[in-house]
Every structure is written in structure tokens, then in C-alpha cells.
Amino acid sequence: MQLKFSKWHGCGNDFVLVNGFNENINDIQEHSAAICDRHFGVGADGVILTLPSKTCDFRMQIFNSDGTEAEMCGNGIRCFALDAYKSGLTDKLSFTVETKAGIMRPRLTADNKASVCVNMGEPVLAGEQIPVKGCGSEHIINKQITVDDNQFYITCVSMGNPHCVIFVDDIKKIDINKWGPVLEKYEIFPNKTNVEFVQVINRTHLRMRVWERGAAITLACGTGACASLVASVLNDLCDRKARLELDGGDLAIAWDETDNNVYMTGPAKKVFEGIYYSE
Ligand SMILES: N[C@H](CCC[C@H](N)C(=O)O)C(=O)O
């Protein structure tokens, strides 16, 4: 297989983007883990496909570096949108993208600097829809769980993909490599979950680190930043608009009170193009 791709990142969360209009992408999911391998492949947190859609301007598919398909990717869709515009697939500055998490609406800034605002839709809070087992339609806000004799207080939010948000006093003291995988696969999460650890700096500044479902620690997670903002508002720890400071950069997240949609604004950067060869 030969595959033309472009390599992008959003706050250091990096992706191999493949244009499904031109490339043969039939069995790409089974190759996605190999493509993402940082020694034997291109190296990335995920593979993102740009595809036609019957209902929207485009369709986006996202595969994690372990080969699993996710419903949505916040950093990825900013890269997706800027790539679609810069590669001439569209001349529109705002358009619709069909995803497994619903229709997303990226908007590019007129002077085409590499900042993209995305309407990420409404957060889902009912336990059974996130999903979190055994909670019915209850919202999971600051709920105590005990995992391997350790207590955690979790707030769960879906942005189309599941997130478990945990507030900590000092982000530097959390062993994410230990607790991330344990919580990702914890029994109450039937589809597993992304895990965000959040330190509240003040009511308009959150510091977040993430263990991503299917990708382990990444430098940033856009859907996770949205979920972290929503969880912080639900716990009255921050305002509805805040700076999310991630390992790889900052995102501006706002949960609009009038339309209940979450808006994410942040950078997207193209690093290189190439051809991937697989035996
Ligand atoms: N690992 C995530 C998908 C990528 C999301 C993240 N990279 C983002 O920017 O939102 C999941 O399985 O739900």
C-alpha cells in the first residue's frame, strides 16, 4: 500500500491526515496502528480521513494510535478543517463536518491564520448516554469511586466521546501513567473513557493533562478540554469561558449559555507531507 498523507498537529496532539477523495483508504483502519508507530511508521496520536458526505460538506473519521475508531477528535478537526481549506477541497471559511459524534461546525478566521473555532455541539451529561454503567439518566458530578483502594471524585461528560474528569490540587503530583490506564478501562465505562486531570488555577484558567482512550498520554485533547470546562462549570470551579492550558499549548473553550453548545478555539499546524509505504 502507498498512501499520500500530510502531518498536522493541534497543540502537539498529532495526526496523519489522509485525503479519502484521492487515496485508496479501503483497509486503513487495520494499518492505522502501524502508521502511528513512532519508530516503524510515520508516528502520530491518530489517523484522520477526509471523506465525502451525503449530508454535510465533509465526513471525518478518526482512528486512535491503537487502531480503535473514536467518535470525534477536537484537535484533529481543527487540522482537518484547515487542511480542507488549504488543499482547495473547499473555499468556504465555515462548513459542516459529519462525524460519529454528530455534525461539527469549524470556522476559519478570514485572514487564514492557523486558528480555528469549532462548534463542538452540546455536552452529554446523562450517565447512560456517556456511557457510564449503573447510573441511568443521572448526571455524574463529583461522584466518589474507589479503584484499587484509591478514592477518586469523578465528573463525566461526553462530547460524542466519553470523558472522566478528575480535579486535583497539583497536576504535577499525579501519576498519569499509573492511573490513566486503570481508569480508562474501569468497569463502569463500557466503551472505556478518556481521563482528564484538572488543576483549577483560577475561574478563567484551567491546567489539564490527559490520558486518552486508545492513545495513552497526549500533549493535548480538544474534546477533553471541552469536557474539562463543562465539568468545571458543573462543579462551580470556573466561569463558562476559560483558557485550557495543556502540555502542548492552550485552547480557548466556552460553553454558551444561550445555545448550550461548546466552542473550542485553537491552533492547527501542518508540519510535513509524505508517502507511507506498507508491505
Ligand atoms: N482518544 C479519543 C479520540 C481523540 C480525541 C482527542 N485527540 C481530541 O483532540 O479530542 C477517544 O478515543 O475518544
Side-chain angles (χ1 to χ4, degrees):
M1 175 178 90
Q2 287 189 25
L3 206 59
K4 281 189 187 156
F5 68 87
S6 57
K7 183 73 187 320
W8 287 72
H9 77 85
C11 300
N13 187 201
D14 62 335
F15 304 98
V16 168
L17 267 63
V18 177
N19 180 334
F21 289 84
N22 303 334
E23 299 298 307
N24 172 6
I25 43 103
N26 287 333
D27 52 0
I28 195 158
Q29 180 165 9
E30 62 191 72
H31 288 276
S32 51
I35 292 168
C36 291
D37 188 288
R38 295 196 186 273
H39 298 285
F40 299 101
V42 177
D45 291 325
V47 174
I48 288 179
L49 298 186
T50 303
L51 300 162
S53 165
K54 293 189 175 67
T55 55
C56 295
D57 294 300
F58 299 102
R59 181 163 72 90
M60 180 179 89
Q61 268 190 294
I62 157 84
F63 301 107
N64 286 310
S65 55
D66 72 348
T68 57
E69 184 172 5
E71 302 85 348
M72 188 27 205
C73 181
N75 289 315
I77 199 167
R78 297 198 314 276
C79 299
F80 175 101
L82 201 51
D83 183 59
Y85 181 81
K86 290 198 165 194
S87 56
L89 286 176
T90 182
D91 58 4
K92 294 198 272 188
L93 286 174
S94 62
F95 42 88
T96 55
V97 181
E98 177 191 349
T99 75
K100 283 191 147 186
I103 297 174
M104 302 296 149
R105 292 171 171 76
R107 177 169 45 80
L108 309 180
T109 45
D111 60 4
N112 195 16
K113 66 180 186 290
S115 171
V116 186
C117 176
V118 184
N119 177 344
M120 300 283 281
E122 299 186 60
V124 172
L125 304 177
E128 61 207 358
Q129 295 176 35
I130 292 177
V132 181
K133 263 199 297 202
C135 302
S137 59
E138 172 198 346
H139 292 186
I140 295 105
I141 301 173
N142 201 34
K143 177 184 176 68
Q144 182 192 325
I145 60 170
T146 302
V147 183
D148 299 349
D149 297 330
N150 283 267
Q151 282 188 351
F152 294 95
Y153 289 87
I154 64 172
T155 300
C156 296
V157 178
S158 171
M159 294 304 300
N161 58 348
H163 295 272
C164 173
V165 180
I166 295 169
F167 295 100
V168 297
D169 295 332
D170 184 347
I171 200 91
K172 295 189 293 297
K173 292 184 179 164
I174 296 299
D175 186 349
I176 297 186
N177 277 303
K178 175 178 181 182
W179 294 114
V182 169
L183 290 162
E184 174 194 359
K185 303 175 180 70
Y186 188 49
E187 61 197 29
I188 65 172
F189 302 120
N191 297 349
K192 299 192 282 184
T193 187
N194 298 283
V195 187
E196 285 82 16
F197 298 93
V198 177
Q199 179 182 342
V200 179
I201 308 300
N202 59 48
R203 291 192 65 87
T204 56
H205 180 188
L206 304 173
R207 174 76 172 94
M208 186 269 268
R209 296 198 70 205
V210 63
W211 175 277
E212 283 199 37
R213 178 181 65 170
I217 292 178
T218 63
L219 297 183
C221 179
T223 50
C226 295
S228 298
L229 185 279
V230 169
S232 301
V233 172
L234 293 171
N235 284 280
D236 193 21
L237 296 172
C238 91
D239 296 345
R240 296 183 77 95
K241 188 172 183 178
R243 167 193 171 200
L244 269 283
E245 180 190 349
L246 311 164
D247 290 350
D250 288 0
L251 292 175
I253 310 292
W255 184 13
D256 188 306
E257 205 152 16
T258 56
D259 63 11
N260 195 41
N261 286 339
V262 180
Y263 294 84
M264 167 193 67
T265 304
K269 175 99 172 71
K270 183 174 183 177
V271 182
F272 61 89
E273 293 179 348
I275 299 175
Y276 173 75
Y277 300 93
S278 79
E279 51 283 347

